[in-house]
Amino acid sequence: MSNLGIGQLAKRAGVAIDTVRYYERNNLLSPSTRLASGYRRYGDAELKRLRFIRRAKALGFTLEDIRGLLSLSNERSVAKVKQAAEAKLADVEHRIEELERIRDGLRTLVKACPGHGRAEACPILNSLNAEDVP
Amino acid sequence: MSNLGIGQLAKRAGVAIDTVRYYERNNLLSPSTRLASGYRRYGDAELKRLRFIRRAKALGFTLEDIRGLLSLSNERSVAKVKQAAEAKLADVEHRIEELERIRDGLRTLVKACPGHGRAEACPILNSLNAEDVP
DNA sequence: CTTGACTCTAGACCATGGTCCAGACTTTAG
DNA sequence: CTAAAGTCTGGACCATGGTCTAGAGTCAAG
């Protein structure tokens, strides 16, 4: 079992030292112990936990979401964890659909635009000025 | 052509009054005129523009992105407009790809999770706890 | 033991995207 | 005309997720 200082921990997890302390202030991660000097010491559990946080963040969870996930893992409430992941999945899928609509719109405009001539002939400009639905 | 006060405009676009003024401070939207009293007056063009901003924001564009999108319509060079639209298209495509990776990760985890039992059996928690390289 | 690297705390600062407030003035309905 | 509702400005304040600094103390190698 490794016994890491904050710098080593941060390096191994791929985050900044300040971020580790920031997470501590925000109740996401505490050192397993402190030296008499006050230096933080971390073990494998904390390294895992920090990597958990980093990954969950990469998956689009906010720090608050992650606090929730971490506390669920203590409660051993697998159903709730799955629910949270499903909700986040639905959210991500929704955002993809919206972006795909935008992408298709942009593609159509780019294809239709001659790239020269008068502004009134540019479908991109005309589209931005179009009438929208409330 | 409607001639709206800031409250009416905000209401019709579905945003708060303060948000309208905030957008003005940040060069996203100006009133078409002001009354002698200083009261802002908006026309249809501003209402459209504000709705455009709202929708673009809902799609995950930052206000700076939106400033860029909106400035396309001021651009007199059709070639530049087309270029900017192409850049934004590439940007959108990139964002879609990132979200798709996130989506696939979440899907895999959700499928693999039984939704009950001990935490140690939950692949969502286990995956986030996995020991991979930073 | 000394020196350089590391860590401590508290608090300031950053960007983003708002949101709210006070105190004064304007507009509008009755 | 009066009162209520709306708007004005400037500045303070909020949450999120950090990032940086100062000044002091600690640890580890030579």
Side-chain angles (χ1 to χ4, degrees), chain A residues 69-115:
Chain A
L69 285 174
L70 288 166
S71 73
L72 289 178
S73 89
N74 293 333
E75 289 169 18
R76 293 187 299 287
S77 175
V78 176
K80 282 186 187 166
V81 172
K82 185 172 186 176
Q83 260 182 21
E86 279 169 343
K88 189 54 69 174
L89 174 57
D91 184 50
V92 168
E93 283 173 338
H94 181 61
R95 292 168 66 160
I96 289 173
E97 277 163 28
E98 287 181 325
L99 281 174
E100 281 172 346
R101 275 194 285 108
I102 277 274
R103 178 197 61 192
D104 295 344
L106 279 171
R107 272 187 186 160
T108 302
L109 292 176
V110 165
K111 264 184 208 154
C113 179

Side-chain angles (χ1 to χ4, degrees), chain A residues 3 31-41:
Chain A
N3 192 15
S32 51
T33 65
R34 295 254 191 167
L35 300 182
S37 60
Y39 278 34
R40 295 164 177 83
R41 287 282 127 178

